Amino acid sequence: MVVVMDIEATEEQVQEVNQRLADYGFSSHLIRGVNRIVIGAVGDRSRMGEMGLELLPAVEKVVPIMAPYKLASREARGGPGQVPVGNTVFGGPEMVVIAGPCAVESEEQLMVAAARVGEAGARILRGGAYKPRTSPYSFQGLEKDGLELLARVGRKTGLATVSEVMDRESLDQAVAYVDMLQVGARNMQNFKLLKAVGRTGKPVLLKRGLSATIEEWLMAAEYIMTEGNGNVVLCERGIRTFESYTRNTLDLSAIPLVKRLSHLPVIVDPSHATGDRRLVPPMAAAATAAGADGLLIEVHPDPPRALCDGAQSLDPGQFASLMITIKQVAAAVGREV
Ligand code: PEP
Ligand code: MN
């Protein structure tokens, strides 16, 4: 860290800071500039808070240098990492496309969706069994029956599966059925849940919170990783802004930024980011061009009849044409689909 001190600081005040740093096991180095006195300090960052350096006289600010997300940081690995799920890998040369309905509604609905997205090149089947709905009167998901259907259809079509868990109860159910656990935007800071999914050791798809900063998102990943589970894939799904013509605002800059900060693969969900099926293909293409390691696309056999998120769902034909575009864009930036 760097401690910036007022140029008027007295020798005693500088000594007081140095002493405090030494008491906490930090080594320090003094730099006298023209406008500032700066003390560079090296030690255990987790003790920064308890030291209370900001409270000492003549200290202007304390600036941390190392990222607070130790396991998720790029330096922790020295390069990009890979997360295997089923027989596919996130973070490799191939972009991984996850597709399927917002919610599992019936065996027929899921089977048609799975067969068609698989044919078009999707590698993982999604389907919500426990749905976090804004209204308690909306369809809440088929729960355990939904997980059973997802597992059965996944087996039949050869697709790996992912489904959202909302709490300990849904987590305990889902571990036995799915290949990847999804933590949704609304639960990104449910720290107990993050630790619990971490303990399962299963790959986790961690969505960005509705209003989460990049650092908060990476700290959420850190919670999973501190339980010994490094198989985390981050998913940018749009953030809340003042704009009301789209459901959320897709933060495309998050892709290259997170890739610079972290070794974790990053995918993009243009369906929840826009809330509008007409905006999904161009945003999927943009995410691909920006270097996303994969996409999550909502696909329903009959979107007007969907029990959840029909307006943002593609039908299988629209999904197939999206995949053709994505393959071309991916090729242009040196990736495969
Ligand atoms: C979902 O993927 O079905 C979902 C609810 O997404 P989010 O958590 O991003 O809103
Ligand atoms: Mn949805």
Side-chain angles (χ1 to χ4, degrees):
M1 86 181 91
V2 167
V3 184
V4 181
M5 300 201 59
D6 195 304
I7 190 69
E8 309 279 308
T10 64
E11 204 47 49
E12 290 76 49
Q13 287 169 333
V14 173
Q15 273 323 312
E16 197 180 352
V17 172
N18 274 334
Q19 190 55 53
R20 183 71 60 99
L21 286 165
D23 290 347
Y24 282 82
F26 280 73
S27 60
S28 60
H29 179 76
L30 184 72
I31 306 154
R32 268 181 211 280
V34 184
N35 299 314
R36 292 270 182 287
I37 296 171
V38 170
I39 302 171
V42 180
D44 177 4
R45 186 193 158 135
S46 66
R47 305 197 71 191
M48 258 177 78
E50 50 182 297
M51 269 195 289
L53 287 174
E54 294 90 341
L55 305 176
L56 294 180
V59 171
E60 274 189 10
K61 60 180 171 186
V62 179
V63 187
I65 301 294
M66 291 288 286
Y69 36 88
K70 296 186 191 311
L71 302 174
S73 76
R74 188 87 173 179
E75 305 94 70
R77 247 180 172 278
Q82 299 194 339
V83 174
V85 178
N87 54 9
T88 184
V89 179
F90 287 91
E94 190 186 304
M95 276 183 75
V96 179
V97 179
I98 303 173
C102 180
V104 177
E105 298 170 10
S106 69
E107 178 151 18
E108 200 205 339
Q109 171 245 18
L110 192 62
M111 193 59 218
V112 173
R116 299 288 301 275
V117 301
E119 252 167 53
R123 305 295 299 270
I124 300 180
L125 175 65
R126 66 152 284 145
Y130 297 86
K131 295 302 306 172
R133 303 304 299 277
T134 302
S135 165
Y137 307 117
S138 302
F139 176 58
Q140 305 282 309
L142 297 181
E143 306 196 335
K144 187 162 184 271
D145 294 343
L147 291 171
E148 275 169 14
L149 287 176
L150 189 63
R152 195 177 322 144
V153 170
R155 259 196 318 274
K156 273 192 192 159
T157 51
L159 295 167
T161 55
V162 60
S163 199
E164 176 166 356
V165 293
M166 300 205 302
D167 47 25
R168 289 301 294 270
E169 186 196 331
S170 49
L171 173 61
D172 290 345
Q173 295 287 354
V175 275
Y177 292 102
V178 298
D179 299 299
M180 185 179 213
L181 301 163
Q182 177 173 322
V183 175
R186 287 154 196 81
N187 273 308
M188 190 207 81
Q189 283 191 317
N190 183 338
F191 302 117
K192 285 258 164 76
L193 181 64
L194 295 173
K195 287 182 164 204
V197 296
R199 285 193 293 272
T200 67
K202 283 226 168 203
V204 182
L205 183 63
L206 178 64
K207 292 234 178 163
R208 182 173 180 181
L210 303 172
S211 305
T213 64
I214 302 266
E215 184 162 309
E216 287 164 343
W217 189 18
L218 291 171
M219 290 306 280
E222 193 78 9
Y223 265 93
I224 298 168
M225 298 177 83
T226 52
E227 296 297 323
N229 185 355
N231 291 322
V232 179
V233 175
L234 299 167
C235 179
E236 161 62 40
R237 46 78 71 205
I239 46 174
R240 283 253 166 112
T241 68
F242 50 80
E243 181 52 64
S244 59
Y245 277 17
T246 47
R247 182 173 177 178
N248 293 291
T249 297
L250 178 58
D251 179 9
L252 280 175
S253 63
I255 308 160
L257 180 53
V258 168
K259 285 182 152 294
R260 211 176 67 214
L261 299 173
S262 174
H263 57 84
L264 297 173
V266 192
I267 73 163
V268 169
D269 168 358
S271 307
H272 292 89
T274 63
D276 182 336
R277 70 182 184 288
R278 295 163 300 185
L279 302 181
V280 170
M283 290 301 96
T288 305
D293 294 303
L295 296 168
L296 185 159
I297 311 283
E298 285 192 337
V299 180
H300 192 284
D302 188 5
R305 290 209 164 72
L307 296 181
C308 183
D309 286 350
Q312 67 193 33
S313 299
L314 302 185
D315 66 28
Q318 291 163 336
F319 177 71
S321 31
L322 174 145
M323 289 297 284
I324 292 168
T325 311
I326 293 310
K327 283 180 185 153
Q328 291 167 342
V329 178
V333 292
R335 293 298 276 276
E336 298 155 27
V337 181

